[in-house]
Amino acid sequence: QVQLVESGGGLVQAGGSLRLSCAASGNIFSIRTMDWYRQAPGKQRDLVARITLGGSTNYADSVKGRFTISRDNAKNTVYLQMNSLKPEDTAVYYCHGNVVLTDRFEYSYWGQGTQVTVSS
């Protein structure tokens, strides 16, 4: 069983920055993919950024050049550095991991979400 604990959400002014963290704990062998999703009011939950075990990254077009995803494998933690924030970035941000447990099977886990609000 794996728990993903998120932190770093809050209220920020447009143009500002925020750094989200998500720490995974449990009987983890490895985490193949760590992702950030977001869901704005009345919207679908969309993938924001993804980082693989090897460090390859992908970003939604709407955040390219502004957001940076990174990971610390020693800490089983993923980060999302968000710069030049816009009101449109306001959403609940969810951490997600494709986690290989010590049983060598892969499972999907979600964090509880953290609110990011960008004021104009």
Side-chain angles (χ1 to χ4, degrees), residues 56-73:
S56 298
T57 59
N58 292 97
Y59 298 93
D61 288 341
S62 58
V63 306
K64 284 181 179 177
R66 300 189 297 120
F67 290 10
T68 302
I69 189 170
S70 61
R71 62 190 289 171
D72 185 337
N73 292 331

Side-chain angles (χ1 to χ4, degrees), residues 25-120:
S25 61
N27 296 324
I28 299 169
F29 179 79
S30 66
I31 306 179
R32 293 195 61 183
T33 305
M34 303 187 81
D35 317 311
W36 287 99
Y37 288 75
R38 69 185 182 188
Q39 187 168 22
K43 303 290 185 179
Q44 297 179 230
R45 185 176 298 186
D46 295 323
L47 178 66
V48 176
R50 169 169 289 164
I51 186 166
T52 69
L53 184 62
S56 298
T57 59
N58 292 97
Y59 298 93
D61 288 341
S62 58
V63 306
K64 284 181 179 177
R66 300 189 297 120
F67 290 10
T68 302
I69 189 170
S70 61
R71 62 190 289 171
D72 185 337
N73 292 331
K75 297 180 179 180
N76 286 325
T77 300
V78 62
Y79 306 93
L80 186 67
Q81 178 66 47
M82 304 184 294
N83 299 325
S84 301
L85 282 163
K86 305 174 181 179
E88 305 92 274
D89 296 318
T90 296
V92 178
Y93 284 71
Y94 296 91
C95 177
H96 174 262
N98 293 305
V99 182
V100 180
L101 302 186
T102 53
D103 62 5
R104 309 302 290 272
F105 287 92
E106 186 169 315
Y107 303 89
S108 175
Y109 291 96
W110 290 91
Q112 292 293 98
T114 184
Q115 176 69 48
V116 172
T117 302
V118 184
S119 62
S120 60

Side-chain angles (χ1 to χ4, degrees), residues 12-26:
V12 66
Q13 190 176 11
S17 298
L18 212 58
R19 183 177 174 88
L20 305 183
S21 300
C22 174
S25 61

